[in-house]
Amino acid sequence: MSLNHSDTGVVIIKGRTVVGETLSVELILNEYYDLKNSSYIWYIDGVESKGIVGNYFTLDQASLGKKISVAVNISTSNAGLITLQSAQPSTVWATDP
């Protein structure tokens, strides 16, 4: 699980970072934002993964040993674009460490 604290909210990556498992994103926001205009950007070893969209990411064999993180872009009418990022990236394992 990764956390990022800010004045706006927290991004939590939920799930086990093990090949074959699916990670999901949970947002804890300090105020209401309409998330229908939000986007999720997954990073593998700090590089944006173009093939992964949405708030779920299934870890495959190619993910093994890599560090996974996510950013969430929230488009708002009053504050413009807000970007929240998960904290320290999590390493993907073959089995639970």
Side-chain angles (χ1 to χ4, degrees):
M1 176 178 0
S2 298
L3 302 175
N4 176 41
H5 297 276
S6 76
D7 293 340
T8 304
V10 177
V11 175
I12 302 170
I13 296 178
K14 297 185 80 173
R16 295 171 40 227
T17 51
V18 175
V19 171
E21 296 291 324
T22 299
L23 303 178
S24 63
V25 176
E26 180 179 345
L27 294 172
I28 300 173
L29 302 172
N30 295 333
E31 56 186 271
Y32 174 78
Y33 293 102
D34 184 357
L35 297 179
K36 70 180 175 198
N37 294 320
S38 63
S39 61
Y40 300 84
I41 304 167
W42 290 90
Y43 294 89
I44 301 172
D45 279 346
V47 178
E48 182 178 337
S49 176
K50 303 286 186 190
I52 305 167
V53 294
N55 61 334
Y56 292 95
F57 174 25
T58 300
L59 301 169
D60 59 12
Q61 196 64 35
S63 306
L64 182 61
K66 307 273 189 320
K67 294 189 179 295
I68 305 296
S69 59
V70 67
V72 181
N73 292 321
I74 304 168
S75 184
T76 69
S77 58
N78 59 344
L81 182 67
I82 297 171
T83 301
L84 297 173
Q85 295 185 352
S86 58
Q88 187 68 20
S90 301
T91 301
V92 178
W93 302 92
T95 60
D96 281 323

